[in-house]
Amino acid sequence: MSVLTYTENWDGKFKKSTYELLSYANEIAKKAGTELIALTIGEVDNEELKSLGNYGASKVLVVKNEKLNDFIAKSYSSAISQVAQAQDAKFVIFANNVSGRALAARTSVKLDGGFVPGVMQLPSSIEPFVVRKKAYSGKAFADFELNSDIKVLSLNQNSFKIIEDAKEIAIEEASVEIKDTDLGAKPQSVEKASGKLLITEAETLVSAGRGLKGPENWGMVEEMAEILGGTTCCSRPVADLEWRPHEEHVGQTGKVVAPNLYIAIGISGAIQHLAGVNSSKVMVAINTDEEAPFFEAADYGIIGDAFKVVPKLNEALKKFKAG
Amino acid sequence: MKVLLCISHVPDTTSKIRFTDNDTAFDKTDIQYIIGPHEELALTRLLEVKEAIGGMTITVVNVGLKETEPTIRKALAVGADDAIRVEADPTDALFVAKQIAEVYKQGNYDLVVTGKETIDYNGAQVGEMIAELLDLPSVTSTSHFDIKDGKAQLEREIDGGKEVIEVDFPFVATSGKGFALEPRIPNMRGIMQARRKPLAVVQAVNQEIKTKTNQFYLPEVKGACTFVDAENVEELVRLLHEEAKVL
Ligand SMILES: Cc1cc2nc3c(=O)[nH]c(=O)nc-3n(C[C@H](O)[C@H](O)[C@H](O)COP(=O)(O)OP(=O)(O)OC[C@H]3O[C@@H](n4cnc5c(N)ncnc54)[C@H](O)[C@@H]3O)c2cc1C
């Protein structure tokens, strides 16, 4: 028996969310009294692989197979399921990102397991297995009971803290068999904002809405994100108007985020917007309208014109950061 | 080309969420139901593609009790050709996926489309589960969808970017941000026609339930907002550092 985590790598590198995932899976492994195994697909150098041992993994299995050069949910989930079976995994745990969600759903079907997506804390009980997730797009939470022998989970990003637990980690290759019928889809070209911090991973998000009047006014928003070491996101109309790229849209129909600090500039605070951001630890709203609903959800607020407040705030933040 | 579009019947996005029976069940009082926003956009885009290439039928399917029929009729009014309702309470994602896989097998479809996630349980899993049950390829979080010269041309969201992807029919696509921008609204003619369009009700097949919801919770009520004067932004920096400890 074991706990298996799928630790995705991005061009051979792991991320903060990888270590959150391992930390979470390690706690489950301890509760279940078993070992934690990590699985990754593709080339990763030994130094990077060894880093997984800092968060409780006693073994990492590396799958190298040229049929897995492109990310295809069908072939990847086939590989992961084969490894899960070989390792007698009772828990298979993924990050709840775009690829992790798809893989977890498929893997659960292949393994005849039950799946709870987007868990946000450790199970409150192992027998029966009960774990909490968000429901109604962030407007509520629900406890799910999983009553299958094999349990598949995906962990929300920014919802579990990293816990160090250094282990001597064994690095091994695992072989899998990928059938041609497991492919069926062929990625053609990729467009990636290289090096940009993902919205779902950032600890600070500076978000702006229609109150900013036009895309030419985002300089000060980007500047604030840079000063704070965070990244930018936006309300839905801003993405719909193509002032900002679609992947920046947060809310009920966009990305659901949970940073430490969420700064909302010129965003009214519609219920659909708040649903996606209300798990943020601290929220700040800057709005000209003292009646803006965002002030009911925010921890701190400034009633004022963003075009005056934000440049001043940026100066004050810079001064603070300079110590 | 036969398309099966899976729609969810969910509380309107402006709904205030409440629970009953000691927080073990969703309180349906005064709740307006809608087609899931992702599926509504998917239907819009499928209709645009249908108008461009012709020869396409769009069947909507919902797993639900009779109460979901107004939502299904709305999809017919927007322009879907016919509908199937699987008579069951949609208790768990695998259960729903199994029902839809069964419908697929009865109908010779070329394409299954689902929303990226429902806005009630936010599982984002039904589409992939259907694909797995039917051994089909899938494209998740599709941000652009087109069919040209009989070939599917899609774009999908990946973490930190997007990717153009080609996929062989039949397959499953889940619609994400960008699939269409504004949902199509039914017109009078559509609403009249929808009444006469076929809506078949079929029985559910057996599937073991592996997950269940025990208890719901509402988020803790936040304390009042602390206001800082617009002329004194340094005070906000101080509060974020000393009080909130996020700087
Ligand atoms: C099905 C559905 C799903 C939706 N999903 C989402 C979602 O996922 N995410 C989302 O964000 N929205 C979503 N919406 C839209 C949502 O209802 C709101 O319309 C949207 O969030 C409003 O965006 P906004 O706050 O940027 O714009 P507005 O509502 O136009 O607000 C602009 C704000 O800026 C303020 N302002 C103006 N000028 C200034 C200035 N100079 N300085 C400071 N403040 C200023 C105004 O007082 C106002 O509060 C959804 C809607 C529907 C129907």
Side-chain angles (χ1 to χ4, degrees):
Chain A
M1 156 169 184
S2 67
V3 172
L4 184 71
T5 51
Y6 171 61
T7 49
E8 177 176 2
N9 67 76
W10 289 263
D11 301 322
K13 293 282 176 241
F14 298 118
K15 288 189 182 166
K16 189 187 95 192
S17 60
T18 314
Y19 305 127
E20 287 171 5
L21 173 65
L22 282 167
S23 303
Y24 181 84
N26 191 33
E27 293 303 309
I28 298 228
K30 283 191 217 159
K31 277 182 193 263
T34 181
E35 68 166 330
L36 172 63
I37 303 173
L39 158 66
T40 198
I41 298 176
E43 287 294 336
V44 181
D45 69 40
N46 272 357
E47 257 337 277
E48 193 72 8
L49 289 172
K50 272 190 199 148
S51 74
L52 303 178
N54 296 338
Y55 310 96
S58 56
K59 180 159 77 179
V60 52
L61 297 168
V62 185
V63 172
K64 293 179 190 164
N65 185 317
E66 46 177 42
K67 288 190 178 154
L68 298 172
N69 284 350
D70 289 324
F71 172 74
I72 292 168
K74 202 174 177 211
S75 55
Y76 269 52
S77 58
S78 168
I80 294 166
S81 306
Q82 290 173 47
V83 173
Q85 272 162 342
Q87 301 296 323
D88 190 23
K90 294 293 180 219
F91 290 90
V92 188
I93 310 180
F94 296 81
N96 195 39
N97 55 20
V98 183
S99 48
R101 263 196 300 269
L103 293 173
R106 279 193 176 257
T107 303
S108 73
V109 174
K110 281 191 206 286
L111 298 175
D112 195 28
F115 171 36
V116 183
V119 299
M120 46 188 286
Q121 48 185 239
L122 285 172
S124 55
S125 123
I126 286 270
E127 205 57 67
F129 189 87
V130 178
V131 69
R132 190 164 301 181
K133 79 178 286 287
K134 282 189 199 186
Y136 296 95
S137 300
K139 292 179 192 171
F141 305 101
D143 277 352
F144 271 72
E145 186 177 321
L146 243 181
N147 46 36
S148 53
D149 179 35
I150 293 176
K151 298 174 178 67
V152 179
L153 306 172
S154 63
L155 175 70
N156 262 2
Q157 282 144 299
N158 271 346
S159 62
F160 199 75
K161 63 179 184 303
I162 293 176
I163 308 170
E164 292 202 20
D165 180 11
K167 295 248 166 75
E168 194 59 52
I169 186 168
I171 299 175
E172 292 173 19
E173 279 199 31
S175 67
V176 295
E177 193 201 329
I178 303 298
K179 294 188 252 129
D180 286 337
T181 52
D182 284 335
L183 301 170
K186 183 101 194 78
Q188 306 291 309
S189 60
V190 189
E191 209 179 290
K192 249 186 188 168
S194 67
K196 191 170 179 274
L197 187 61
L198 291 182
I199 287 164
T200 45
E201 297 222 347
E203 292 190 5
T204 300
L205 286 175
V206 184
S207 188
R210 200 149 50 180
L212 284 204
K213 315 276 188 297
E216 66 281 7
N217 297 324
W218 248 259
M220 60 185 188
V221 180
E222 285 173 340
E223 187 185 354
M224 189 185 294
E226 196 179 316
I227 300 168
L228 295 172
T231 191
T232 56
C233 57
C234 67
S235 67
R236 169 164 145 174
V238 165
D240 284 354
L241 290 161
E242 305 205 323
W243 293 358
R244 299 296 295 173
H246 284 310
E247 57 267 21
E248 288 201 4
H249 160 195
V250 298
Q252 188 163 11
T253 50
K255 293 205 167 66
V256 175
V257 294
N260 270 337
L261 176 59
Y262 185 84
I263 301 178
I265 305 167
I267 299 179
S268 57
I271 190 167
Q272 299 97 343
H273 184 86
L274 293 177
V277 304
N278 63 10
S279 290
S280 309
K281 207 168 126 212
V282 172
M283 293 204 281
V284 176
I286 300 170
N287 201 304
T288 40
D289 176 10
E290 61 182 277
E291 305 270 304
F294 215 118
F295 288 127
E296 280 164 41
D299 301 281
Y300 299 98
I302 293 183
I303 301 164
D305 182 348
F307 295 99
K308 298 206 181 92
V309 174
V310 174
K312 270 196 257 171
L313 185 54
N314 282 350
E315 286 314 308
L317 287 168
K318 258 192 241 164
K319 221 183 267 164
F320 169 79
K321 286 283 173 184
Chain B
M1 168 97 36
K2 285 186 71 182
V3 183
L4 186 63
L5 171 65
C6 313
I7 62 169
S8 62
H9 161 87
V10 289
D12 178 77
T13 56
T14 57
S15 307
K16 282 251 185 316
I17 302 299
R18 284 183 235 94
F19 301 102
T20 62
D21 297 340
N22 293 323
D23 291 338
T24 56
F26 178 64
D27 184 353
K28 295 182 180 174
T29 323
D30 295 333
I31 296 283
Q32 297 279 347
Y33 282 86
I34 55 167
I35 306 174
H38 298 291
E39 298 94 270
E40 198 181 19
L41 292 175
L43 175 56
T44 302
R45 181 64 192 151
L46 288 170
L47 288 166
E48 289 167 5
V49 173
K50 175 179 171 167
E51 284 151 12
I53 67 172
M56 191 184 206
T57 61
I58 304 170
T59 303
V60 289
V61 58
N62 170 264
V63 180
L65 301 173
K66 191 154 174 66
E67 62 189 8
T68 72
E69 287 194 2
T71 303
I72 300 175
R73 288 276 174 214
K74 183 173 172 210
L76 293 172
V78 175
D81 297 289
D82 56 4
I84 299 170
R85 179 171 69 82
V86 180
E87 170 74 27
D89 198 9
T91 37
D92 132 296
L94 181 60
F95 176 85
V96 171
K98 176 78 176 205
Q99 306 309 322
I100 293 167
E102 228 20 67
V103 168
Y104 174 91
K105 286 183 199 156
Q106 307 300 326
N108 274 315
Y109 295 94
D110 302 288
L111 173 65
V112 182
V113 180
T114 75
K116 152 183 108 151
E117 64 180 331
T118 61
I119 60 166
D120 50 3
Y121 284 92
N122 307 100
Q125 49 187 322
V126 170
E128 291 297 331
M129 286 179 167
I130 296 169
E132 191 58 44
L133 289 167
L134 294 169
D135 198 26
L136 295 179
S138 55
V139 179
T140 317
S141 270
T142 311
S143 47
H144 177 74
F145 177 90
D146 213 344
I147 299 176
K148 285 227 172 84
D149 305 323
K151 277 211 165 117
Q153 296 183 345
L154 275 60
E155 213 172 80
R156 68 173 173 182
E157 184 189 350
I158 52 173
D159 289 295
K162 55 191 179 185
E163 189 171 64
V164 175
I165 187 162
E166 267 184 26
V167 52
D168 304 331
F169 288 104
F171 65 91
V172 178
T174 77
S175 77
K177 179 79 191 162
F179 209 82
L181 274 185
E182 283 290 320
R184 201 176 273 199
I185 310 289
N187 55 27
M188 243 356 252
R189 195 164 149 256
I191 295 167
M192 299 302 285
Q193 282 175 340
R195 295 192 190 141
R196 292 189 303 272
K197 286 183 180 171
L199 193 171
V201 178
V202 302
Q203 293 308 307
V205 294
N206 274 337
Q207 168 63 45
E208 183 201 351
I209 302 293
K210 296 180 194 282
T211 63
K212 67 172 199 246
T213 359
N214 283 341
Q215 191 77 42
F216 293 98
Y217 305 86
L218 290 172
E220 276 170 42
V221 184
K222 280 237 175 186
C225 179
T226 305
F227 285 97
V228 173
D229 192 273
E231 297 301 325
N232 190 9
V233 293
E234 289 77 13
E235 174 63 4
L236 177 64
V237 177
R238 188 191 70 79
L239 287 167
L240 291 177
H241 176 59
E242 290 176 11
E243 189 179 87
K245 300 192 166 50
V246 288
L247 285 188

